[in-house]
Amino acid sequence: MANKYVYFFSKDFTEGKKEMKDLLGGKGANLAEMSGLKLPIPPGFTITTEVCDLYYKNNKSYPQGLEQEAAANLERLEKLMGKKLGAKDDPLLVSVRSGAAASMPGMMDTILNLGLNDQSVTGLVQKSGNSRFAYDSYRRFIQMFGDVVLEIDKNKFEEILHAQKLAKKIEKDVDLDVDDLKTIVLKYKELVKKETGAEFPQDPKDQLWKAIDAVFGSWNNARAIKYRELYKITGLKGTAVNIQSMVFGNLGETSGTGVAFSRNPSTGENKYYGEYLMNAQGEDVVAGIRTPLPVAELEKQEPGIYKQLIDIKNILEHHYADMQDMEFTIENGKLFILQTRNGKRTGFASVKVAVDMMHEGLFTKQEAIMRVKPEELEQLLHPNIDPRENYTSLAKGLPASPGAAVGKIVFTAEKAEEWAASGEKVVLLRKETSPEDIGGMDKAQGILTATGGMTSHAAVVARGMGKCCVAGCGDLVIKPGNTCEIAGKAFKEGDTITLNGTTGEVIAGALKLITPEISGNFEEFMKWVDEERPIKVRTNADTPKDSEVARKFGAEGIGLCRTEHMFFQGDRIDAVREMILADDKAGREKALAKILPMQKEDFIGIFEAMDGLPVTIRYLDPPLHEFIPHTDKELQELAKAANIPFGKLKAKAESLAEFNPMLGHRGCRLAVTFPEIAVMQTEAVLQAALTVKKKGVKVLPEIMIPLTGTEKEFIYLKDIIMRTAEDIFKRENDRVDFLVGTMIEIPRACLVADKIAETAQFFSFGTNDLTQMTFGYSRDDAGTFLPEYVKKGILPVDPFQVLDREGVGQLIDMGIQRGRKTRPDLKVGICGEHGGEPSSVEFCYHVGMNYVSCSPYRVPIARLAAAQAKIKKERK
Amino acid sequence: MANKYVYFFSKDFTEGKKEMKDLLGGKGANLAEMSGLKLPIPPGFTITTEVCDLYYKNNKSYPQGLEQEAAANLERLEKLMGKKLGAKDDPLLVSVRSGAAASMPGMMDTILNLGLNDQSVTGLVQKSGNSRFAYDSYRRFIQMFGDVVLEIDKNKFEEILHAQKLAKKIEKDVDLDVDDLKTIVLKYKELVKKETGAEFPQDPKDQLWKAIDAVFGSWNNARAIKYRELYKITGLKGTAVNIQSMVFGNLGETSGTGVAFSRNPSTGENKYYGEYLMNAQGEDVVAGIRTPLPVAELEKQEPGIYKQLIDIKNILEHHYADMQDMEFTIENGKLFILQTRNGKRTGFASVKVAVDMMHEGLFTKQEAIMRVKPEELEQLLHPNIDPRENYTSLAKGLPASPGAAVGKIVFTAEKAEEWAASGEKVVLLRKETSPEDIGGMDKAQGILTATGGMTSHAAVVARGMGKCCVAGCGDLVIKPGNTCEIAGKAFKEGDTITLNGTTGEVIAGALKLITPEISGNFEEFMKWVDEERPIKVRTNADTPKDSEVARKFGAEGIGLCRTEHMFFQGDRIDAVREMILADDKAGREKALAKILPMQKEDFIGIFEAMDGLPVTIRYLDPPLHEFIPHTDKELQELAKAANIPFGKLKAKAESLAEFNPMLGHRGCRLAVTFPEIAVMQTEAVLQAALTVKKKGVKVLPEIMIPLTGTEKEFIYLKDIIMRTAEDIFKRENDRVDFLVGTMIEIPRACLVADKIAETAQFFSFGTNDLTQMTFGYSRDDAGTFLPEYVKKGILPVDPFQVLDREGVGQLIDMGIQRGRKTRPDLKVGICGEHGGEPSSVEFCYHVGMNYVSCSPYRVPIARLAAAQAKIKKERK
């Protein structure tokens, strides 16, 4: 069928299935799938994402035939339901909802109760026997339609509602009676006329098409675009539109609505988990206006319905072989499922669900591994409050997203972004969050809201981000003037608080946070991961402490130990500056002799922490001016402290300044011009190695030359290193095995890798610099144009975050192939930041690297990414 | 003959020939060749370079059989000469000289008069009838042997000589009489005994072998190693040793010695040219103690000898088909030729000799083309210091732009313009130049800077202007109050100096300059060059004036017209700054509208100058901060002038500053973020094109996008350009054909060239930036390590001067091949500075470029280099 744009779903006739997500959107595909499973789904039809694509391509007009096709489907729906859209006796009412292939909760528009007008509302009164319900539905419909379709400021509707409550001296919406609601409807319609110059549309077909327009239009609203940017959602055709017959949870005390997860989305515990409200609509649960009940309560209240829900949950979990997030409505004692989707969950839950479902026989170990996104593991490594801290919590909210956060209070998303940009750690406090707050939530350490439940916007988004969140904290009162009260205690912007997202506690001041251990499910999961993992994972660490952390996280060695960080510490910087300021080699050697014992001690600590594992030590890399202050004031202080004439110091600082330091006198160029630095570093590495060897430590040093661009550069330095080594071994009458290899981070090095590999015993790709030079982008400066490039689609993604396979990757592939041409057993790894980014790790595996190296906290992520890469390849 | 180590040469029996240079060294091969031609060569024999090689390989011992072979050759020489080495009646005396395949004048050892001892000196007295000559010869021999072979400090010999002159109250060596010389010989021998513990060797064979050892030993003395490093002489086996019977020019008034060129090495005039001294040894001519006579005088003094010399010159010139540099000795009225080699010459001479010799039938046009080194042409295009001037240079900087300049010192560009306007010739002295100095540089005769390398701003701009420049002269210190010191000597504004941009010399005062006439020879030569030339040569020019100069030099179009230089001129910079300071697109467009008519005028001028030839216009390339002053003082001035708050200006300047501007917001990144710039430039180019088209000018614009790294970048900008073009053509109701292509200067662009070529209509390799990024070297900063790299042999040569074929070249080759895979007729050129460097031009031809583009003054050089590249390839 060439031009099929609409797919019907119902118990008896369903055209879609879950595999058609791209075309029907996630919601549409799952409604079709559930209909096919004969579950109680209100019937309806889906207009495809392809229509959205064509709509934008053809200047916001619909493809030919769509109107007729939609009309035919509406007719089929009317026939099935025995009702007519907007008919005055027993009207068919529908919801119109968006739904793309990727979930974008709250980002696009929804309209409920469509089909109501001045006539059909009376039909609804008759049929439901509940005129308050009918007029409330009509009131809601006008408000929603007015906001979403007619683009009338929603506050204006709120004002009318509020005024009516004031006039009647009542506080809650539910206390409005039928007459109030009729008055409000009238006033709403007047507002619409005033704002749009036209009557509120009474023709249901007209209502329907306007709503469809609005939903397609919402695909490209600012919020949705921002969301896709943030979550790197690309390649979608657009949103589908689902038109579904309405069911009502607010018809009375035997009606209700709820949201439930088939397992606990915070912990992963296999226990039905969710919330419901009787006599309520879906929005009431999500919006957090009334506090919902735990779904377990339903067992007492409506045992039949509860059992039915449990059965459906089991069917869906088995069918989808994944944890489900379902919306349901009970209409006059009858259960309807409105939606199911794979449930968002915390990293903890993700691992537990995968491990449990594997044990339950739902899928294999390999599939379990594929079920956890590498990034999700980040949460398992997230800080928590040090259990040794004794504290009293100030208030308690819902434990909406685990982990802990310490930061300064801010009250707006903008402020959160602003303060975070200037390096502050902040906690975002909101009455409730809305989709506009996403940017600030992303930058905050944690989120605290006054209202809303476990499935409120704040909770869902925070869990997705792996960010600590305490939601629905009733003791939080946001006040004007950037202040608030928490349990009666006054706080203002900038005050520090601590959140415990695992318990829901809010604590005044800053508590100490610690990192959790790998144990239980996580440990088991990582064991499976390691069984599949095809390459090694090392870490980038410069201190014994980092080395220990990384080892605990499964690092199999150090792939990058930066020696320059050591140069900055304590009073070493004085000796380093003395070296830089020396007039000749003798002066430099004198200063280096002071650094030697300190650097040796560093290496001893690291070698001991890495007993039995290889440690790759990169020789001094940054340009020397990085060690000298830059302002006159600092220089004057230094001159005084170091007893050097200011003029001399200033002149030296100026002579060291560079136009493009990235491409300047750094890396191995330092060691070529000042070989005594390489001699000192070799002394430090090998003396340390001999020292720990005597203590019984198994030491495997790998000396790494940075920034090699020509084979002769490498030969020159390796020669110096080997000669120094032989001197040491003779002097100490003992020896250790060690390797000498190089960073590959200069494009030219990839091109002549065959020659470099003749002498170099290993390669480690420094993809930060390689990306800078291959693209000609300075990472420090690219902020002025890179975001624009990504926004305009010129680059799919920031190449400093995700490795550019097409360009940089081509050079890496070339470098490896050529290197192994002359040295077939060449050991190859990566130590740029890409080494901990899942898609880049996958690439590293594809091009045949032996290992990736990343920061300690990304080691488990890299381990998982590597295992998944292998499984994905096998599945192809 | 497997192990032949010695080659004899004499009129009647000669084993070598000129083609055996590698084995016999240059000197040995030519002596053999001349002997074969029956020319009057003192006979002798040559020990091969292979022996030198084996000598070092076998721990300084000689191969088996050498001694016997040498002895047999000595015996043959003795028989031929009818004398015995060191015999007491009529002794055979020999010289022992080094001679490698490449000329290394003065670097290795020579010993004359070998064979003299206490007995044979009396024989020499008898035979020569000149006892002073004999003892002087013995004295010289002991001194030379003592220094070279016995390694006695030569000052100790000089002290003895000096003491004797003091004692006799005489000043010159020649005033010493026989007795003095006998005393000196005695004292010399005592010195030898004291220093070595042994008598001066009396056995002539012993003398000979010790001398041979010393010559082979001198191959690896520090001087010789340094020389080979400096002149990049590699791949030689070693030196040969030439043992030749002595002839004496100092036997009396019918003896003499001289050096002569077969043609004038300054002008190329076909006239025998040289100097001689009667009663003198070779050293006396070279050392400049006595003033030699022009060789033409010899015709009067010794017409027979002169005629013989002329005949020999003609024979040698024809035989070698090149201008010869010969040494000769007259011994008692008999002529001997001691050496011949191809003569070094000026660029003028080189062209004239090549053209003349071709006309004389000595060789073909192709060979004539090969005879001139491309770099030699440089001299033909610039004023130079009159070669007849004798001068001492004060200081030396880098020979940044050739030619010479005489003028009064000024220290600012404004002063240069001001003084030049009033008719003064000025030389501009700056610490370093910046784009603001362009006006003054243009008006100055030459430019001298204290810092900066061969590719500094001053150097690049000066070469572009064809103006003499000495850059990076460390001995120049600019002082306050319009004064400076050059090598410690004080100068002030208005003092006159002379610059030699060909050598880098700075000279106090005014030297005479000559402006070479581009004679018919040069024109004829270039016609031949163009007949062979396989690729086009374009020029890099930004002004109509430069375009005209380049066209006169044979440029076939503009390969690079940089639009940013135009942005600096006059009051345009104000509009440019207005654009940069604008807060939004509308503000930028307003400022750009002011620049548009000016830029359009520029293009009109260039299109007219280049009527019928293509003009490649590169869109704005440098980062915007280059257009804004950097010091607070300048910013304050600008704020006042432009009526902008200083704070705003300062903030803008700071926001534009970059850590690594080379890799920053520049090139096409500017146009992607501010498309209005590309729109304005397209308007300027195409409006100008339409304007000149109306005047009947044939215009071929090629729009070039700089710094492309991804195909989408190019597509985005081409799209803007094409849409703007269509607007213009519609508006003007006329159109012109034009191309849109790109610079390839980012490594990534080479890697994805196939994709870029889908849309780009031509490629122009920007090898300056491509070299920077491929090596990771900032050209502005590389001065701190590049010289060291070249010195240590890590790089064969500065890759910014000569294109790195191995790395950068590999990317270029890849870029061309991939580009032509998707666009087989892709036009490819180069517009980096390598486009005017001969070896790089050769490479460009090899990889299939359609053209090279270089500064106007290098166009003839590139033309020649291209022709030679083709001939060289054909000859292979």
Side-chain angles (χ1 to χ4, degrees), chain A residues 82-217:
Chain A
K83 301 178 180 189
K84 284 236 172 245
L85 186 70
K88 66 176 167 188
D89 44 355
D90 180 12
L92 172 66
L93 304 183
V94 296
S95 63
V96 180
R97 292 178 211 246
S98 63
S103 169
M104 296 167 58
M107 289 303 125
M108 288 181 297
D109 290 333
T110 292
I111 293 156
L112 302 179
N113 306 340
L114 189 139
L116 282 174
N117 56 21
D118 294 349
Q119 295 193 311
S120 63
V121 70
T122 61
L124 191 60
V125 170
Q126 269 178 23
K127 194 68 194 175
S128 67
N130 184 336
S131 54
R132 192 196 172 283
F133 155 72
Y135 279 95
D136 190 43
S137 297
Y138 193 23
R139 187 273 298 178
R140 286 175 192 250
F141 172 53
I142 300 173
Q143 185 167 350
M144 219 178 256
F145 195 92
D147 167 22
V148 168
V149 180
L150 305 175
E151 297 180 342
I152 298 166
D153 182 354
K154 62 182 166 192
N155 291 317
K156 294 185 173 163
F157 292 103
E158 290 294 338
E159 279 162 21
I160 293 170
L161 193 68
H162 190 65
Q164 187 66 22
K165 285 192 283 185
L166 264 186
K168 296 291 293 277
K169 294 183 180 142
I170 53 177
E171 277 193 5
K172 290 185 191 158
D173 293 4
V174 287
D175 296 330
L176 294 166
D177 64 21
V178 178
D179 290 334
D180 294 330
L181 292 166
K182 282 183 176 168
T183 309
I184 290 169
V185 164
L186 272 176
K187 290 195 173 157
Y188 274 11
K189 288 199 292 182
E190 280 165 19
L191 174 66
V192 167
K193 187 159 185 195
K194 190 180 147 216
E195 293 285 323
T196 66
E199 298 289 345
F200 181 78
Q202 294 289 321
D203 176 1
K205 299 261 165 75
D206 187 23
Q207 291 175 356
L208 181 63
W209 279 104
K210 285 204 162 82
I212 293 171
D213 289 352
V215 171
F216 280 134

Side-chain angles (χ1 to χ4, degrees), chain B residues 707-718:
Chain B
L707 221 65
T708 300
T710 73
E711 78 273 19
K712 285 195 180 160
E713 227 168 11
F714 186 83
I715 291 167
Y716 179 82
L717 291 174
K718 189 180 176 190

